[in-house]
Amino acid sequence: MHEKERHVKANAQDYNDKFSYADNHIKTSKYNVLTFLPMNLFEQFQRVANAYFLVLLILQLIPEISSLSWFTTIVPLVLVLVITAVKDATDDYFRHKSDQQVNNRQSQVLIRGSMQSEKWMNIRVGDIIKIENNQFVAADILLLCSSEPYGLCYIETAELDGETNLKVRQSLTVTSDMGDIAKLMDFDGEVICEPPNNKLDRFTGTLYWRDNKYPLDNEKMLLRGCVLRNTEWCFGMVIFAGLQTKLMQNCGGTQFKRTSIDKLMNTLVLWIFAFLICMGVILAIGNTIWESWIGRNFQVFLPWNTFQSSAVFSGFLTFWSYIIILNTVVPISLYVSVEVLRLGHSYFINWDRRMYCSQTDTAAEARTTTLNEELGQVEFIFSDKTGTLTQNIMVFSKCSINGQTYGDVYDEFKQRVEITEKTACVDFSFNALCDRRFKFYDGSLVEAIKLEDPAAQEFFRLLALCHTVMSEEKSEGNLVYQAQSPDEGALVTAARNFGFVFRSRTPETITLCEMGRAVTYQLLAILDFNNVRKRMSVIVRNPQGQIKLYSKGADSIIFERLDPSSEDLMHTTSEHLSEFAGEGLRTLALAYKDLDEDYFDVWKKKLLFASTVIENRESQLDVLYEEIEQGLKLLGATAIEDKLQEGVPETITCLNLADIKIWVLTGDKLETAMNIGYSCNMLRDNMNEVFVISGHTLLEVQQQLRSAKEHILGLSRVGSAGDVEKADMFSDDSVFEESIIAEYALVINGHSLVHALEPQLEHVFLDLACLCKTVICCRVTPMQKAQVVELVKRHKRAITLAIGDGANDVSMIKTAHIGVGISGQEGMQAVLASDYSFAQFRYLRRLLLVHGRWSYFRMCNFLCYFFYKNFAFTLVHFWYGFFCGFSAQTVYDQWFITLFNIVYTSLPVLAMGLFDQDVNDQNSLRYPSLYKPGQQNLLFNKRQFFLCTLQGIGTSFLLFFIPYGAFTVIVKEDGSHFSDQQSFAVTIATSLVIVVSVQIGLDTHYWTAVNHLFIWGSLTVYFATLFAMQSNGIFGIFPSNFPFIGTARNCLSEKSVWLVILLTAVVCVVPGLAVSFLRVDLFPTLTDKVRHLQQSRKRQGPQEQSLRRVRRTSSRRSAYAFSHQQGYGELITSGKNMRMSTVSSARSPERTPQSSTWIENILQKKNEVSDEITAQTAAAH
Amino acid sequence: MMASSYNAKEEDGHNSGASNNGGAGVVKSKKPDNTAFKQQRLPAWQPILTAGTVLPAFFVIGLIFIPIGIGLFVSSNNIKEFEIDYTGVDVNNPCYNCAKNFSWNSTTPCLCSVPFTLEQPFESNVFMYYGLSNFYQNHRRYVKSRDDSQLNGDQSALKNPSKECEPYRTSEGQPIAPCGAIANSLFNDTLELYYIDSNGTKNTIPLVKKGIAWWTDKHVKFRNPGGNNNLTVAFQGTSKPVNWRKPVYELDPSDPENNGFINEDFIVWMRTAALPTFRKLYRIIQKKSSTTPTLPSGKYLLDITYNYPVLSFDGRKRMILSTISWMGGKNPFLGIAYITVGSICFFLGVN
């Protein structure tokens, strides 16, 4: 039944039970002890292959058609089923364990008048629970009251949306004083609200209590997954529990991920099955004809079975017999081998030292072992921003004070020095209150402060005063700042270290410690930040009695309001700002103003008046703020680095060169997202156009999308006038896409995305997005992230990869073909939901370009070879059918059939599948274009499959007919005949093993010792087994199972047999060799060229790459500290939040070296590669 | 999935706390080992197909194959072979009557004589084969219709043959020894060869009937139940195959080493042919002295005891006389194939 509205009554269990809401029990496991076997087997037999083998097994048990012993199928089948079942069982066991652990977590619940400890799973809707500081919220609850005044409490929602800054929740005033148990007991309010849904930022409901109605919104809700911070305790009433909580609703179902090769393989298995049936039918018809023309007469020596009434019936039975014999074209060992390969590739990922992060001591981890080759085919990457691209650490990096920049370090030759771990930090020991984690490298700024340069002093005074940070001094000198945005924290911390320490504040005062002296300023007003103003100001009275206005904000905004006297300074500063912005730093301009006492008094009165009016209060206040923030004097500018993860721009550039499209999906604001887009090189100034879609209605969005698309298409039509016809010919956009040379970017806001994702717009949106080099979606909810991924997945037939670090990325990670989690950070949810995890975004490059590419390459070669091998092996029976009366007689010994795939030929192909490298890892990274064949699915597709089966069929033909030609009249050297079936079998089997071994040798690009061991070893094992199984001893023990006694000895001692084998081997291998040689020689691919290059380079030895720092040239400026929120000024001046109990410690802003970029090198290389290669290959010839 | 993350986080906290407090215990880094294997840097040989490697290879193959082919071709051509069809399809064939009047029940064997002339003398040892055509010894039901345990002298299998032998498993309530369709269809024509010298007298050519089977078959695979002494007793309680005229222990009463299951004619028959046209070794004509040829050119007479019906399924019976060389019997196919392949490779290599 669909729930339309939810009724929850506090402390009324009986009432709530009527609705049978979900309890707080969470279940992610699939099986229990009883259901495991049937469910698991059922699931396993849903795989086409397993079902197919089951059918075969049943067929083999029927003696009349059994052309092979049953053990040839059942042994491998059981093995496969057991291994898979064990794996599933262990997985589920761990899920059970984790479920249990979560469900058994303790929480304080109000039961019968007292707080009792209760397991999470027993919490029910309507319960009143108590949450203490730093505890996880157990369910979605309505906040009733807290230890803080006015029912305020602070939560961290990192698990939900990835934002680490604290958020405030406030209870209804009527419930905020219910801090004791008796009052809570009496509370019998009823909440009527929306049914469970996945919207994290919306809640609508009403509380009915004491005949009054109180509206409820999201500000009064604490959602499961939040952590209570800075609040001793709070009480809440459970509204949604368990699977109905917003967090769980956002999870999305766990999908079983399959790679496209898996799907292709399933299709191919069906094709092969059809092919089998065709052959079966041909042979069955042959049998019918044979039986009625020859077999009928041959009954003198071979009477028909009693039940075999007619030739047609015999044909029918033969059909099934042939199905059994020919089933080895898709042996079960294929599936086992594929799993083994994937497992091996996963281990190589886990073992890779280049994907190991020493700071967090985390190695890369392949959590899913079944997706590796898909890593080589990725076309779209969806990336989270915070924590993935950026470290979410803001660092005060540079500043411009009074026309002088600080922050860069120069050596004695006036050359700018690269800042690394080793660069000496400025010594802040003069300041007892400094934050030791703060690092600054330019000593001249400290000199300026020490020399009491007034501008520098005023600069830091401003930073110490103009903010909404809360401070707490746990012990003397141990200051902890609780900043509402990391930017502010960084600025105040900078001021603190440069000797202007913000120590404490009350609603009316701010106490600083200026160069060791305690100074208290009177706080007269806070002119708060909002998105339109893009600035904030404070008005203070200093101890000398002067009234000053300090203001910081977006440069463009501040510059408009400057006093004419600052004009020169403004120009210099403006230049500095451009420089900062060019380095991807977030900038703020700082200014101050001395206020006249009388003027301020008048203004203050106006302000008081305005703040009491009801209508248009906001706009009236804005006008007043605007009035006083005029004629400012510029102090300088700050530059904050939103620290990117290491190597992000390089990685993105490199992936772009590999034709991978990167979309950033972030919960951040538009400005922040764009800023990061610029700093990690996704948005560039030289881009033709950056489209920003931020319409609020469907029509607006449609309009914007259409015009953007027309702009692109129109421009390129004009731009390439000659190609107009061509473009018209291909009306399909995806084709047209290729011809667009100009670079575009698309930035879309969350509220517009809602409309863009609607069915009537999604096509336009997708087309437009795919025309753009870069797509950034901001302000998106976790579910929208998944929807975007889903959209691309559905319409683009491309492999998608989602990468993220937080709980808000989980749905996207689960939806994408491949999910990657950033590990080593705080939250683990993304990692747990992911398929691959590692510590840094930059490892993605290696994961895709090296591991993914290799995996894909290896898997494709493996499959090609495997199908070739099995067709060559099996179809010999088909040809033989024409000479044995279509009787389903096997060519080979049964033991050979059983062992061929498992023992004789499995290891060499596994070694190739595990170790083969066409191009080494350095070159894979160096030439990202090598990745493209994977995206175009060139190495294994239906055509390739067709070709390698054709090769297999050809080989089987030769394998049969060359010995056939020789065996019609062959005799032994002692004259005795040996054109018998067993000698024939041994000859063909030996030729086959040799041919496939030679073929794997030719297919192997990278001969390690293991390959040698396996290939030669397999041949040795083949001969050893052959002789062992045909020895006197084993025949003596099981005479009826080993009828081939002595055949190998008699047969392989003949020169003529070896001549036949040699001839067969050469004839089977040479055509393939000739074809592949001609292909490499006449139509070399990029891979072939790089291989040549690699070989010729080897002699020269490795070359060092020259690294140099590239300065991004960007005229873009970043605006105000973007993660800021409105409304904190009011909280401070009202004093509501002045009782801070505990403060969570901020994360250490560890300085990681900004690795030098070589983007330009790469960009240049793109062109160089082809030239270089042509030159080199020409030289090689 | 979601839910499990919380505890993971908590546990992380606990772990780090514990390790910090422990202090003394060295925390093992998760850094992967720097081994060539794990880092996929195993030393390797990386062959590349280039004109410099592939073309010479072709060239070399050609150089090796062409001489082999010529050698094979020449030696195959030097082998002398004589073949005569005695099925009796044609009215003019001496065996026409025998073939025509064949009956399973006749007690008197039908005899016929086929004269022939060897144009050239056969110098070395000569091997005498019988050849059958259109005879499907490789049919699945035929191939599996035998009991190797029984043939290996296993007592229980003798009395209770494998089900695979049906419908030749029991006869008149007694188990058949040897059971199965293969044994039942044993080739039982008797061939005798005479040299007609210039006087017109028939000289019997001695035919050696031992040494025609593989050593392993004769000594390992086939064994009489209860040893070779007194086979009549050993085979008591068994029945002869339906088509046979005499029981298995009377196949060669003169030689206990060639009687019963280890009779070489029987063993040769039991080694089923791969293809429907085949030949099997029947007798060996030993070279007597180095001066005279084993079979001088001239007239010969082949006496056949015609027991084996093949006409009903359009089969053919042949008698073949052949010498052999280092690579076995006459086989032009291999020589020609080698020369062809060698030439193709050679030309590929040269270009």
Side-chain angles (χ1 to χ4, degrees), chain A residues 966-1004:
Chain A
F967 265 76
T968 42
V969 285
I970 205 164
V971 296
K972 273 175 77 167
E973 285 156 46
D974 66 358
S976 58
H977 80 104
F978 81 126
S979 60
D980 68 291
Q981 221 199 338
Q982 297 188 336
S983 309
F984 194 59
V986 169
T987 311
I988 293 188
T990 310
S991 313
L992 173 69
V993 170
I994 290 175
V995 166
V996 295
S997 298
V998 172
Q999 190 64 44
I1000 190 90
L1002 291 174
D1003 286 350
T1004 304

Side-chain angles (χ1 to χ4, degrees), chain A residues 910-981:
Chain A
L910 274 186
M912 178 183 82
L914 283 175
F915 303 116
D916 211 24
Q917 300 178 8
D918 50 347
V919 171
N920 65 20
D921 53 344
Q922 282 112 358
N923 280 330
S924 300
L925 293 173
R926 227 177 133 92
Y927 306 110
S929 303
L930 289 174
Y931 191 78
K932 291 174 189 171
Q935 295 169 328
Q936 293 152 16
N937 207 4
L938 288 181
L939 298 186
F940 190 76
N941 47 34
K942 287 174 182 155
R943 187 168 164 272
Q944 285 296 324
F945 169 75
F946 182 71
L947 287 177
C948 60
T949 50
L950 205 66
Q951 196 192 357
I953 294 171
T955 306
S956 75
F957 182 84
L958 294 168
L959 268 176
F960 179 78
F961 281 99
I962 291 173
Y964 169 82
F967 265 76
T968 42
V969 285
I970 205 164
V971 296
K972 273 175 77 167
E973 285 156 46
D974 66 358
S976 58
H977 80 104
F978 81 126
S979 60
D980 68 291
Q981 221 199 338

